[in-house]
Amino acid sequence: MSLSPVDAASLTRCEELLLQSFDELRNSASIEVSKDAVEVESKALNGDPSSSSFSRLSSDWRGTGEVEELSGEFRIPQLYRAITNPPPPLVWKGMPDDERELAHESREIDGTPRSGTGVIVTVRLSTPPEIWLWYRGQPMQMDVDYLGYLEALALTKGTHGWQYLFTDLSFSDPDLYYLPEAMNAMLHHFPRLFPQYDYTPLRERLEERL
């Protein structure tokens, strides 16, 4: 993929990681991308009318052939745009007060609207900012910062369930049988599909949760 009309020279480290994942999915012979998009906005307000960057980047994909059990999705807005948006509709009747406060202080930075998994990832507007995974209205704090989230996304390409590796959730729960299966499949195939990455840290995280 060409970065045009995105100005490659103006990219931040975060933006580079996002576009890197986007390109690697598009260029993989084993991945079928059903829908992806780079939404671009001008940076003219910064004084350079020829400069542009993305306002949102998304991809919905699945594996083919011998990796057909793999699938994933991400939808990442530009961070400044995300934090100036209103909070996502996470509050529900009877929600504990501390979780209600967390919901009001949260802004969405990732989601899965096409696959409908119910996963929303938010940044909490706190000092320091916190990254939270929400599933069916239940929050779980992730042990990464924003850049760490994007670095993990570059590794996982948004494979469904990857965020749980960065929570204290135990995968031994029978109701979560699909998580170790999905993560084992990802860690089996990705070192061959994307050999430029080291998947050892993710393997260690999976083993800790089994």
Side-chain angles (χ1 to χ4, degrees):
M1 165 193 168
S2 169
L3 290 183
S4 179
V6 178
D7 178 17
S10 70
L11 292 177
T12 66
R13 171 61 175 158
C14 292
E15 292 168 339
E16 288 176 350
L17 285 169
L18 289 173
L19 287 165
Q20 176 179 301
S21 292
F22 187 90
D23 285 351
E24 287 164 350
L25 287 169
R26 275 193 166 186
N27 296 331
S28 174
S30 298
I31 300 295
E32 178 181 299
V33 177
S34 59
K35 177 70 173 180
D36 62 14
V38 180
E39 299 174 25
V40 175
E41 64 182 5
S42 171
K43 287 188 176 179
L45 292 178
N46 295 341
D48 182 1
S50 66
S51 178
S52 61
S53 184
F54 66 86
S55 58
R56 188 185 305 277
L57 189 143
S58 60
S59 183
D60 180 24
W61 60 270
R62 63 180 54 257
T64 62
E66 64 179 15
V67 300
E68 64 182 2
E69 70 266 45
L70 296 176
S71 63
E73 182 181 6
F74 57 85
R75 186 184 66 167
I76 309 289
Q78 197 273 342
L79 182 59
Y80 178 76
R81 180 180 292 270
I83 64 177
T84 57
N85 283 337
L90 297 168
V91 175
W92 47 274
K93 185 177 181 180
M95 191 179 212
D97 290 343
D98 57 340
E99 293 185 8
R100 185 181 296 268
E101 180 180 2
L102 169 63
H104 287 307
E105 295 174 352
S106 295
R107 302 295 184 270
E108 184 172 349
I109 60 168
D110 196 4
T112 57
R114 286 182 58 84
S115 53
T117 65
V119 167
I120 294 176
V121 181
T122 65
V123 59
R124 185 177 195 176
L125 304 182
S126 57
T127 305
E130 301 167 353
I131 307 300
W132 288 79
L133 168 65
W134 297 76
Y135 178 65
R136 295 181 178 176
Q138 300 300 316
M140 290 170 276
Q141 187 171 2
M142 298 180 64
D143 62 346
V144 290
D145 58 15
Y146 181 70
L147 181 56
Y149 186 88
L150 298 187
E151 290 173 341
L153 180 64
L155 278 173
T156 65
K157 306 294 180 288
T159 299
H160 289 132
W162 76 267
Q163 291 98 339
Y164 294 101
L165 292 173
F166 291 82
T167 71
D168 59 4
L169 185 70
S170 171
F171 288 7
S172 61
D173 187 332
D175 291 338
L176 302 176
Y177 69 91
Y178 60 93
L179 282 178
E181 288 183 3
M183 295 301 96
N184 274 315
M186 177 186 73
L187 294 172
H188 175 70
H189 294 297
F190 272 23
R192 176 181 59 82
L193 298 180
F194 308 107
Q196 65 271 39
Y197 295 103
D198 178 12
Y199 286 92
T200 303
L202 293 186
R203 292 184 190 280
E204 293 173 348
R205 284 182 173 272
L206 177 57
E207 291 171 358
E208 290 171 358
R209 285 154 183 80
L210 294 177

